[in-house]
Amino acid sequence: MNIETNGGNNIIRILLIEDDNDLSMATAMGLEQRGYSVDAVYTGAAALETLEHERIDLILLDVMLPDIEGHELILQMRSDRVGYIGPIIFMSCLADSSNIVDAFRNGGNDYIVKPAKFEALVERIETNLAEQRQGKPMGKFWYKRFMIDHPKRVVYRAEDGIVKEKIPLSPTEYSLLKELTAHAGEVILYKQLYKRIWKLDDLGDVRTLMVHVSNLKRKLHLNGTDVISAIRGVGYLFQDL
């Protein structure tokens, strides 16, 4: 059975970045038996070269690679230069919360702790691809004073429909803005926002969330107006301009 992308013409291609040869071969073989096309590489450099020349629908990324850490590699893949916007699933034997949080902060969509059952991996792949398909209609969203280019994950200051300058946002700040604007005019609770950005049920230290939102508010602040309002003890509200 061939698994097809949204267009219905191409088999879904997965980039597997894993330096354990045995695990890489076993994972690639299993996914290919499920109908996926797999490009398996062992280094970050090879991954970047593949992204430069090939269409990739989803990435499976190990944290510990011989030439670069996965946390650094994902920043390069999400950068304007590379511009990869598809799902990235981390696969690592590192199960500590700091590594997991960093993975999501840097632009990861999911995190699987190795060793993991193959069926669980397939389920996460299918879930992330389904979420991407549901989000595909997102394009450029214009507001009175800025524009969000979701395919490129970039935000610009704008005036009267004219782009003025790029607003530099971290991957976490962009993800926060994406969630807040998707629910414009609604109050999003701290716990809801934390779970959507960091994929963790436990709210943890709410100050982490507050610091990121504060930085985002500062960057979007214009002419004495805040587009994000803090509802003390509850959550945040994006003002639909």
Side-chain angles (χ1 to χ4, degrees):
M1 177 183 68
N2 288 338
I3 299 176
E4 298 180 340
T5 58
N6 292 341
N9 298 317
N10 301 308
I11 297 174
I12 289 175
R13 296 189 64 174
I14 295 175
L15 175 59
L16 172 60
I17 311 169
E18 169 62 65
D19 66 335
D20 184 317
N21 186 60
D22 291 339
L23 178 58
S24 177
M25 290 181 62
T27 302
M29 184 179 299
L31 291 174
E32 287 172 348
Q33 289 175 349
R34 294 298 183 98
Y36 295 103
S37 173
V38 180
D39 292 78
V41 299
Y42 305 102
T43 66
L48 293 173
E49 184 176 356
T50 300
L51 287 175
E52 184 177 350
H53 300 289
E54 305 292 343
R55 173 191 59 80
I56 297 297
D57 298 297
L58 180 142
I59 293 174
L60 298 176
L61 173 61
D62 189 13
V63 173
M64 304 299 292
L65 296 170
D67 59 340
I68 187 174
E69 279 200 346
H71 296 305
E72 173 60 30
L73 179 58
I74 192 175
L75 291 176
Q76 294 187 36
M77 293 191 292
R78 293 298 197 199
S79 69
D80 291 343
R81 183 179 66 83
V82 179
Y84 182 74
I85 62 173
I88 298 178
I89 301 176
F90 275 86
M91 297 195 309
S92 176
C93 59
L94 302 174
D96 57 289
S97 59
S98 61
N99 263 289
I100 296 174
V101 169
D102 283 345
F104 287 110
R105 283 178 177 171
N106 293 334
N109 298 83
D110 210 338
Y111 195 103
I112 298 175
V113 177
K114 298 186 295 188
K117 292 183 178 180
F118 181 73
E119 291 300 326
L121 172 61
V122 172
E123 181 179 348
R124 303 288 270 275
I125 289 173
E126 292 176 350
T127 297
N128 278 274
L129 288 171
E131 290 178 351
Q132 183 194 37
R133 285 193 291 270
Q134 293 169 3
K136 272 297 179 74
M138 297 190 74
K140 295 180 180 179
F141 280 64
W142 291 84
Y143 298 88
K144 285 186 178 179
R145 283 166 289 187
F146 61 94
M147 182 269 281
I148 306 175
D149 187 337
H150 284 298
K152 294 183 178 179
R153 298 172 66 91
V154 178
V155 180
Y156 298 92
R157 294 199 188 283
E159 185 176 336
D160 297 325
I162 300 174
V163 171
K164 296 294 185 180
E165 62 180 343
K166 179 180 176 181
I167 303 175
L169 299 182
S170 69
T172 299
E173 290 164 355
Y174 167 80
S175 296
L176 284 167
L177 182 60
K178 179 180 176 181
E179 284 295 331
L180 289 166
T181 54
H183 300 275
E186 304 174 14
V187 175
I188 301 184
L189 304 180
Y190 293 137
K191 186 172 183 178
Q192 292 174 331
L193 197 53
Y194 193 88
K195 183 176 181 179
R196 290 170 185 170
I197 302 302
W198 285 280
K199 314 296 183 184
L200 298 173
D201 291 326
D202 185 6
L203 179 58
D205 189 350
V206 72
R207 289 175 297 181
T208 299
L209 173 62
M210 290 180 170
V211 168
H212 284 290
V213 174
S214 177
N215 290 336
L216 176 60
K217 288 177 64 177
R218 175 176 51 80
K219 292 179 179 181
L220 296 179
H221 186 83
L222 284 173
N223 301 324
T225 302
D226 281 326
V227 295
I228 300 172
S229 300
I231 312 301
R232 184 179 294 274
V234 179
Y236 295 98
L237 170 68
F238 176 82
Q239 304 292 342
D240 189 359
L241 301 177

